[in-house]
């Protein structure tokens, strides 16, 4: 669409409709936005042409990217450092189990059962081994789990899972070189500077109507994100680390967190979730529907095989084991990033890309719906200050 204001109105109209739909159906907003993106792509494409939705437009891609970065940052910022120190071993075991089981299992199924060659099979293993920090955080926030040690542990495990995915993608396909070393050095220095200077800087200059805090955080996220992209990594990777480093400063400033949530959920993340849904090529999906089901089933079954026994080992009640396993079966950001990396580097074909992205996006919807519908662990929500949100999701 040539008129950018009409295009922006279309996207925010879709976001508004998705929010109303989530209220009427009592679903997560993130999930309804993804579904609305899939349907909008079909309807707009059939009525006036796919270019009018503009999912690949520069400004839409940028806003969607900013949405995923700020959302991931908020997920890190709301980690309780003390609670994380107490449970880091458990989070690490859960995260690594949630990575290795689907990584090896899906790659084997793609190679032996679907007949994909070795490189596409490994790429499928990487893409479907992910857990979406963005989706999990959005769901936990809506329910109030983000305030509980249980929710913080799940977020930490998701981060470990995605970090392992990024490392696997780099080891298997991306070249490690001087830029990688410079990125690690720059990220380490940047995190140290943020840790030392953010608190005093905010106390000296913050609290003004100019919203200096938000500008400072966006500057840091964009700068280190740009360094990550320059080195061949992804801009969303430093966001969670920055959030974790600043959890003691930003996470405890509830007014600042609320303002960032307004910016993120009110404007940015609809572009991220709706665009994710719009990337699904339904005709390609329907043409190889059994392959799509095989990939989605492989991801969910291997996640179950990896995560569920670990939760039982840590003596989770059965309901919590299922809820944790299902939430860690979600995928979106790094799954689509890995798929797009494979397509742009000639590792997978367009058809394989469509099937992988469809499976990744379906994994953001199906396990989350099952988890919230049948396995919601209510005991962690007792005494929290968000009863209406809980009731809405239950």
């Amino acid at each position: 669409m040539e008129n950018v204001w009409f295009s922006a109105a279309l996207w925010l109209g879709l976001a508004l409709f998705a929010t109303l739909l989530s209220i009427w159906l009592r679903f997560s907003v993130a999930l309804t936005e993804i579904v609305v993106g899939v349907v909008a792509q079909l309807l707009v494409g059939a009525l006036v042409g796919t270019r009018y939705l503009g999912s690949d437009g520069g400004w839409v891609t940028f806003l969607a990217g900013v949405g995923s970065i700020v959302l991931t940052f908020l997920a890190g910022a709301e980690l309780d450092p003390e609670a994380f120190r107490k449970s880091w071993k458990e989070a690490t075991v859960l995260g690594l189990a949630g990575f290795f089981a689907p990584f090896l299992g899906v790659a084997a199924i793609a190679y032996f059962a679907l007949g994909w060659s070795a490189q596409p099979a490994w790429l499928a293993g990487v893409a479907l081994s992910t857990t979406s920090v963005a989706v999990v955080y959005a769901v936990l926030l809506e329910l109030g789990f983000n305030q509980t040690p249980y929710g913080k542990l799940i977020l930490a495990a998701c981060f470990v899972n995605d970090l392992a995915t990024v490392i696997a993608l780099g080891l298997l396909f991306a070249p490690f070189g001087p830029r990688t070393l410079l990125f690690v050095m720059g990220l380490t220095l940047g995190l140290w500077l943020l840790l030392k200077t953010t608190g005093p800087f905010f106390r000296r200059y913050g609290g003004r109507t100019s919203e200096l805090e938000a500008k400072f955080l966006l500057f840091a996220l964009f700068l280190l994100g740009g360094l990550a992209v320059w080195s061949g990594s992804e801009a969303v990777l430093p966001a969670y680390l920055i959030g974790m480093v600043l959890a003691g400063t930003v996470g405890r400033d509830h007014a600042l967190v609320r303002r960032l949530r307004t910016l993120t959920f009110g404007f940015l993340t609809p572009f991220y979730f709706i665009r994710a849904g719009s990337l699904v090529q339904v005709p390609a999906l329907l043409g190889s529907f059994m392959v799509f089901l095989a990939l989605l089933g492989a991801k969910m079954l291997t996640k179950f095989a990896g995560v569920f026994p670990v939760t039982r080992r840590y003596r989770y009640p059965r309901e919590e084991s299922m809820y944790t396993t299902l939430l860690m079966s979600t995928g979106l950001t790094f799954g689509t990033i890995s798929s797009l990396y494979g397509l742009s580097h000639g590792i997978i074909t367009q058809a394989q890309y469509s099937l992988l992205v469809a499976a990744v996006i379906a994994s953001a919807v199906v396990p989350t719906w099952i988890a919230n519908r049948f396995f919601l662990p209510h005991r962690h929500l007792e005494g929290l200050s968000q009863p209406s949100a809980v009731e809405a999701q239950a």
Side-chain angles (χ1 to χ4, degrees):
M1 189 179 293
E2 295 179 359
N3 189 326
V4 69
W5 301 112
F6 283 144
S7 184
L10 173 62
W11 279 79
L12 289 177
L14 292 173
L16 179 61
F17 175 70
T19 304
L20 290 171
L21 201 62
S22 74
I23 296 171
W24 295 333
L25 300 178
R26 297 185 176 182
F27 283 178
S28 163
V29 177
L31 302 187
T32 54
E33 286 176 345
I34 293 172
V35 174
V36 164
V38 176
V39 176
Q41 178 214 191
L42 289 174
L43 291 180
V44 174
L47 293 174
V48 293
T50 54
R51 70 185 181 89
Y52 282 90
L53 188 59
S55 299
D56 293 328
W59 68 273
V60 173
T61 305
F62 175 73
L63 289 179
V66 176
S68 68
I69 288 172
V70 180
L71 190 60
T72 305
F73 165 77
L74 281 172
E78 295 210 35
L79 278 179
D80 184 339
E82 185 62 30
F84 181 72
R85 275 193 290 271
K86 291 179 180 177
S87 60
W88 71 270
K89 290 182 180 177
E90 185 177 339
T92 301
V93 173
L94 272 174
L96 292 180
F99 163 72
F100 278 110
F103 171 61
L104 299 174
V106 171
I109 290 172
Y111 185 77
F112 293 109
L114 301 181
W116 292 14
S117 55
Q119 289 282 79
W122 282 120
L123 197 284
V126 171
L128 296 181
S129 68
T130 59
T131 292
S132 176
V133 172
V135 170
V136 172
Y137 173 67
V139 172
L140 295 180
L141 185 64
E142 287 183 44
L143 295 170
F145 280 122
N146 63 307
Q147 303 175 38
T148 69
Y150 172 68
K152 292 170 182 174
L153 173 65
I154 293 179
L155 278 175
C158 293
F159 171 71
V160 173
N161 190 149
D162 275 356
L163 184 61
T165 298
V166 171
I167 292 172
L169 184 66
L171 290 175
L172 286 171
F173 302 108
F176 277 91
R179 290 191 178 192
T180 308
L181 180 61
L182 290 174
F183 166 60
V184 174
M185 294 171 61
L187 179 60
T188 304
L189 176 62
L191 293 176
W192 182 79
L193 288 174
L194 285 170
L195 182 63
K196 294 295 182 184
T197 63
T198 301
F201 187 67
F202 282 7
R203 286 192 290 274
R204 175 68 176 84
Y205 298 105
R208 304 165 193 261
T209 55
S210 56
E211 295 291 351
L212 174 140
E213 294 94 334
K215 292 170 183 170
F216 177 87
L217 293 173
L218 289 174
F219 167 73
L221 290 169
F222 289 174
L223 181 62
L224 292 179
L227 185 62
V229 172
W230 173 79
S231 71
S233 184
E234 294 297 336
V236 76
L237 178 61
Y240 196 85
L241 294 172
I242 296 173
M244 290 178 66
V245 166
L246 298 184
T249 304
V250 176
R252 294 174 183 172
D253 188 340
H254 300 298
L256 175 58
V257 170
R258 278 198 296 274
R259 295 200 299 275
L260 290 174
R261 285 180 187 169
T262 300
L263 169 70
T264 306
F265 290 95
F267 181 60
L268 295 172
T269 55
F271 287 93
Y272 171 62
F273 289 120
I274 293 174
R275 182 175 182 270
S278 71
L279 291 176
V280 176
Q281 294 185 352
V282 177
L285 178 64
L286 295 177
S288 302
F289 194 67
M290 295 308 295
V291 178
F292 157 73
L293 287 181
L295 291 170
L296 178 61
K299 166 159 185 169
M300 293 186 65
L301 288 174
T302 53
K303 280 281 185 181
F304 186 89
V307 176
F308 187 80
V310 175
T311 59
R312 296 297 289 168
R313 174 68 179 79
Y314 280 102
R315 302 182 185 280
Y316 285 34
R318 185 171 296 277
E319 184 181 62
E320 287 178 27
S321 293
M322 287 299 299
Y323 193 79
T324 305
T325 302
L326 287 165
L327 281 193
M328 291 194 67
S329 298
T330 59
L332 192 58
T333 310
F334 283 114
T336 52
I337 286 171
S338 301
S339 303
L340 187 59
Y341 180 90
L343 178 66
S344 60
H345 289 76
I347 300 169
I348 57 176
T349 65
Q350 181 70 45
Q352 289 170 326
Y353 168 79
S354 296
L355 291 167
L356 280 176
V357 170
V360 166
I361 293 174
S363 74
V365 177
V366 176
T368 310
W369 180 81
I370 296 174
N372 287 343
R373 179 68 180 82
F374 298 106
F375 299 103
L376 196 66
H378 292 273
R379 73 182 182 93
H380 290 288
L381 302 172
E382 295 173 356
L384 295 181
S385 58
Q386 297 180 350
S388 58
V390 174
E391 290 171 3
Q393 295 298 326

